[in-house]
Amino acid sequence: KAGVTQTPRYLIKTRGQQVTLSCSPISGHRSVSWYQQTPGQGLQFLFEYFSETQRNKGNFPGRFSGRQFSNSRSEMNVSTLELGDSALYLCATAPGQGSDTQYFGPGTRLTVL
Amino acid sequence: GNSVTQMEGPVTLSEEAFLTINCTYTATGYPSLFWYVQYPGEGLQLLLKATKADDKGSNKGFEATYRKETTSFHLEKGSVQVSDSAVYFCARGAGGSNYKLTFGKGTLLTVNP
């Protein structure tokens, strides 16, 4: 099976812009979670989608949003970028039922200048 | 709330040395517990997991036992290799959901030949 795919792998934006990141899950996986990884805060949960519905949400401002499509692919969007949004954004996917394990993608490295 | 505390390191060992990385979690609910590993420039890979008290997770010579009485999930390996050099993350699920993980800060392990 192909693994979790994230695009793009690297992105450079300036303050005030917006950005969209994409995650394609492993075939058959319907749950997609997003995490932000920074040196200061570590790994923090953003949100989780299952069957096109947001099922769990972390403590991030409304500038961070996401969605999931009928083929389970997910996108996350960050509007009005701030310098502190520079991070590695990881998505993780799972079949979505019960106590399944999440499988992580390689991440998108976002740099905000 | 949920939290995970792990020794932050860095940890530097010689090849074939014994490894312990301590991890404790808040005793909220009955979470599944995980160890993930991150190699440079990559996403997270699941190393092992345990879903209930006294379970032992193991993989590639690494082991961790779910200790409810001490709320701990320490990672151990009897003989480390240079290829084990990476950052190790302890994580817990959110009680009813393993798709909203709370991570420790990570421990950088360097193994010298």
Side-chain angles (χ1 to χ4, degrees):
Chain A
K1 271 189 184 177
V4 179
T5 305
Q6 291 189 246
T7 57
R9 291 293 310 277
Y10 301 92
L11 208 46
I12 299 175
K13 293 286 187 180
T14 56
R15 277 181 299 174
Q17 287 187 310
Q18 75 165 15
V19 68
T20 299
L21 312 180
S22 179
C23 173
S24 293
I26 293 170
S27 177
H29 285 194
R30 295 165 62 196
S31 166
V32 178
S33 297
W34 289 90
Y35 294 85
Q36 181 196 63
Q37 185 177 23
T38 60
Q41 299 299 315
L43 279 152
Q44 295 184 286
F45 173 81
L46 281 154
F47 29 65
E48 183 229 350
Y49 285 85
F50 177 77
S51 290
E52 302 179 65
T53 301
Q54 188 179 86
R55 192 161 64 170
N56 286 293
K57 188 176 186 305
N59 296 322
F60 278 79
R63 301 186 297 107
F64 292 81
S65 62
R67 60 178 176 168
Q68 186 179 35
F69 302 93
S70 58
N71 62 357
S72 295
R73 188 177 70 86
S74 177
E75 289 181 346
M76 68 162 282
N77 184 277
V78 188
S79 62
T80 319
L81 284 166
E82 300 176 0
L83 294 179
D85 297 333
S86 294
L88 181 66
Y89 290 88
L90 295 163
C91 83
T93 78
Q97 305 293 336
S99 60
D100 301 306
T101 301
Q102 291 185 314
Y103 295 87
F104 283 77
T108 293
R109 171 75 63 185
L110 171 65
T111 301
V112 182
L113 302 176
Chain B
N2 297 335
S3 68
V4 173
T5 302
Q6 67 177 101
M7 55 186 282
E8 291 191 23
V11 174
T12 302
L13 297 172
S14 297
E15 208 165 20
E16 299 183 3
F18 183 85
L19 169 71
T20 299
I21 301 178
N22 290 338
C23 171
T24 58
Y25 63 95
T26 50
T28 307
Y30 301 94
S32 291
L33 301 174
F34 306 85
W35 277 100
Y36 280 88
V37 59
Q38 186 175 36
Y39 297 99
E42 298 184 14
L44 276 69
Q45 298 177 24
L46 177 68
L47 184 58
L48 53 83
K49 69 175 183 179
T51 58
K52 60 183 187 298
D54 299 325
D55 266 3
K56 178 187 280 190
S58 61
N59 186 28
K60 299 181 182 179
F62 291 90
E63 293 183 340
T65 302
Y66 191 143
R67 301 282 188 204
K68 190 164 176 284
E69 64 276 12
T70 54
T71 62
S72 66
F73 192 54
H74 304 323
L75 182 68
E76 296 182 338
K77 186 175 186 183
S79 175
V80 293
Q81 305 301 313
V82 172
S83 57
D84 294 327
S85 298
V87 180
Y88 292 81
F89 292 92
C90 183
R92 59 161 288 163
S97 170
N98 290 324
Y99 311 131
K100 182 180 179 181
L101 297 177
T102 299
F103 286 87
K105 292 289 190 183
T107 301
L108 173 62
L109 169 67
T110 302
V111 180
N112 295 318

